Amino acid sequence: MTPGRRAARTFQELHGRAPEVVWSAPGRANLIGEHTDYNGGLVLPFALPYRIAVAASPREDGLVGMTTVDDSGHARAAAPVPLAEVEPGDVTGWSAYPAGVAWVLRDAGLQREGVELVIAGDVPSGAGLSSSAALECAVALALLDLAGRPVTDDSDRVQVARWAQLAENDFVGAPTGVLDQMASLCCQEAHLLLYDVSTEEREQVPFDPASEGLEVLVIDSGTRHEHSESGYADRRAGCEQAVKQLGVTSLSAIEPRELPERLSQLDPALRPLARHVVTENQRVRDTVALLRTGRTWEAGALLTESHVSLRDDYRVSCPELDLAVDVAVEAGAAGARMMGGGFGGSGIALVETERGPAVRRAVTDAYRAEGLTDPRFFSAVPAAGAGRDLDR
Ligand code: GLA
């Protein structure tokens, strides 16, 4: 059963009526362009065929009711939140995401009534595939629809992404960029989204690796290191410091040819951060150029270069991701890298479809040899972005 159907059916069972609206939003993978979003740079994500769906109807008592339902139909309700009074810090755990979105829309003057939400999904959680952004985006779209402002237009979606990011930054308290929300809202089937965070320019880049005999393999390392949140915030703060020292608008405003001079003006500890951001933006441009000319296989080398930069300069990888990347490349992948915030979560590898099973086996064997739990693999086919869930 699709998440949308599961959410709608559970809503009916719990509340004795059908939900007024059902919206869903996907998790994402990012082909390349990591830790560039909050540096005003370029990202190149695609939507995964896994989604979070939200079934919703208004409630008259001013409360936000939130229930999740898992695959086996087990429903779990969070304590209802009073919309008019809720403030950051009041809600913790998974329900902070939907409550945060209601809070943002309340302050934007768009959410005036209470609401009942039932949430179902199949985005693997804890794998760094943005299940939380998918949840925020699906909730935002459902609430806006109930408020008489259904989002269909592409241009409105950037605003929704910003609201969802605001919920995550200011209500949940995670200082993330806008990559995950933009991917969930604006990606299209069989395409990558090239997004420039500074200019807000967007372009859909056709991406059909299967037509070139290739697949994008997502490798969930099954690990998440404790310092992932502090590490992310620390890198972000380092970049802000570098921006100040250089007097630039963002690290992405630095051209690759100016890099050596700019680096020499920086505190040595901050140089690797700036180098990563500037070179990573260039790798995104180079990747798009290769994809446009049907040279997808060659883009693999850029993925591996991205990994090396994230590992050595940005220092956000971890032994489990390094192992997955090294072994995937040894086993014949065109390239591989860690993906997302880092310190655990997933990596991706670009592989020939027929070598896929061998790469999977090699990574699994290497994990076992290190006494690690088996990684999980998903073949990631670019899917549709968020929308009204009609399949119910
Ligand atoms: C996490 C954040 C994103 C982005 C990536 C790194 O996924 O949520 O905003 O910064 O890390 O590229």
Side-chain angles (χ1 to χ4, degrees), residues 166-176 229:
L166 202 60
E168 181 144 352
N169 292 171
D170 293 359
F171 194 88
V172 179
T176 51
E229 273 170 39

Side-chain angles (χ1 to χ4, degrees), residues 238-261:
C239 290
E240 278 159 19
Q241 234 181 310
V243 162
K244 262 198 212 128
Q245 283 185 16
L246 294 174
V248 289
T249 46
S250 78
L251 292 180
S252 298
I254 300 171
E255 297 283 342
R257 60 181 159 72
E258 315 167 58
L259 188 58
E261 196 197 331

Side-chain angles (χ1 to χ4, degrees), residues 5-128:
R5 247 184 233 171
R6 189 143 41 90
R9 182 184 287 193
T10 308
F11 193 104
Q12 173 83 46
E13 283 163 11
L14 293 175
H15 305 296
R17 60 197 157 108
E20 276 186 27
V21 302
V22 181
W23 287 74
S24 70
R28 62 100 190 93
N30 190 23
L31 190 64
I32 195 161
E34 219 66 88
H35 287 277
T36 46
D37 62 347
Y38 54 85
N39 282 305
L42 301 171
V43 292
L44 195 63
F46 60 97
L48 292 171
Y50 306 111
R51 300 175 81 86
I52 306 275
V54 174
S57 285
R59 251 172 96 137
E60 279 167 13
D61 57 6
L63 295 176
V64 179
M66 298 165 279
T67 305
T68 55
V69 53
D70 66 18
D71 295 350
S72 51
H74 180 73
R76 190 160 55 111
V81 166
L83 179 68
E85 287 113 57
V86 69
E87 290 303 333
D90 292 353
V91 188
T92 53
W94 66 265
S95 58
Y97 294 93
V101 172
W103 170 78
V104 167
L105 294 181
R106 178 198 78 188
D107 284 3
L110 293 165
Q111 182 68 30
R112 298 199 180 83
E113 289 185 317
V115 65
E116 192 62 53
L117 305 172
V118 174
I119 298 154
D122 59 8
V123 185
S125 68

Side-chain angles (χ1 to χ4, degrees), residues 18-376:
E20 276 186 27
V21 302
V22 181
W23 287 74
S24 70
R28 62 100 190 93
N30 190 23
L31 190 64
I32 195 161
E34 219 66 88
H35 287 277
T36 46
D37 62 347
Y38 54 85
N39 282 305
L42 301 171
V43 292
L44 195 63
F46 60 97
L48 292 171
Y50 306 111
R51 300 175 81 86
I52 306 275
V54 174
S57 285
R59 251 172 96 137
E60 279 167 13
D61 57 6
L63 295 176
V64 179
M66 298 165 279
T67 305
T68 55
V69 53
D70 66 18
D71 295 350
S72 51
H74 180 73
R76 190 160 55 111
V81 166
L83 179 68
E85 287 113 57
V86 69
E87 290 303 333
D90 292 353
V91 188
T92 53
W94 66 265
S95 58
Y97 294 93
V101 172
W103 170 78
V104 167
L105 294 181
R106 178 198 78 188
D107 284 3
L110 293 165
Q111 182 68 30
R112 298 199 180 83
E113 289 185 317
V115 65
E116 192 62 53
L117 305 172
V118 174
I119 298 154
D122 59 8
V123 185
S125 68
L129 303 178
S130 294
S131 56
S132 47
L135 172 57
E136 293 154 11
C137 294
V139 169
L141 292 169
L143 294 183
L144 288 164
D145 192 4
L146 288 180
R149 300 235 333 209
V151 173
T152 45
D153 194 330
D154 225 31
S155 59
D156 292 343
R157 290 178 176 244
V158 181
Q159 175 62 66
V160 178
R162 290 286 177 200
W163 280 327
Q165 184 197 8
L166 202 60
E168 181 144 352
N169 292 171
D170 293 359
F171 194 88
V172 179
T176 51
V178 78
L179 159 67
D180 307 341
Q181 293 83 1
M182 276 300 293
S184 188
L185 287 158
C186 298
C187 282
Q188 293 179 4
E189 201 174 344
H191 287 82
L192 299 165
L193 172 74
L194 172 61
Y195 183 58
D196 181 328
V197 181
S198 293
T199 62
E200 297 198 342
E201 271 173 78
R202 265 175 301 158
E203 223 178 298
Q204 299 290 339
V205 180
F207 186 56
D208 180 15
S211 69
E212 293 177 55
L214 298 170
E215 70 167 333
V216 177
L217 193 62
V218 173
I219 308 168
D220 174 10
S221 73
T223 48
R224 181 150 188 86
H225 290 272
E226 254 171 43
H227 56 287
S228 61
E229 273 170 39
S230 60
Y232 186 97
D234 175 74
R235 300 304 181 278
R236 195 171 173 157
C239 290
E240 278 159 19
Q241 234 181 310
V243 162
K244 262 198 212 128
Q245 283 185 16
L246 294 174
V248 289
T249 46
S250 78
L251 292 180
S252 298
I254 300 171
E255 297 283 342
R257 60 181 159 72
E258 315 167 58
L259 188 58
E261 196 197 331
R262 288 304 198 178
L263 291 183
S264 71
Q265 297 162 349
L266 266 181
D267 181 341
L270 300 176
R271 287 177 195 167
L273 296 181
R275 184 163 51 223
H276 168 73
V277 174
V278 176
T279 58
E280 183 77 352
N281 282 324
Q282 189 55 41
R283 283 187 287 273
V284 176
R285 290 184 203 103
D286 293 345
T287 300
V288 172
L290 287 171
L291 298 181
R292 286 222 170 96
T293 47
R295 291 153 69 196
T296 305
W297 172 264
E298 287 171 59
L302 294 167
L303 302 194
T304 309
E305 280 175 36
S306 167
H307 182 75
V308 170
S309 179
L310 288 159
R311 183 191 66 197
D312 298 346
D313 270 349
Y314 221 71
R315 294 188 300 111
V316 288
S317 189
C318 62
E320 296 85 350
L321 288 168
D322 291 343
L323 182 64
V325 166
D326 291 348
V327 172
V329 172
E330 271 165 35
R337 62 180 204 86
M338 56 148 281
M339 188 177 71
F343 308 106
S346 293
I348 51 167
L350 182 65
V351 297
E352 273 171 308
T353 314
E354 53 185 42
R355 286 204 70 80
V359 170
R360 286 174 167 84
R361 222 172 310 119
V363 177
T364 304
D365 287 349
Y367 267 51
R368 288 185 183 166
E370 290 296 320
L372 299 166
T373 39
D374 284 3
R376 287 187 300 172

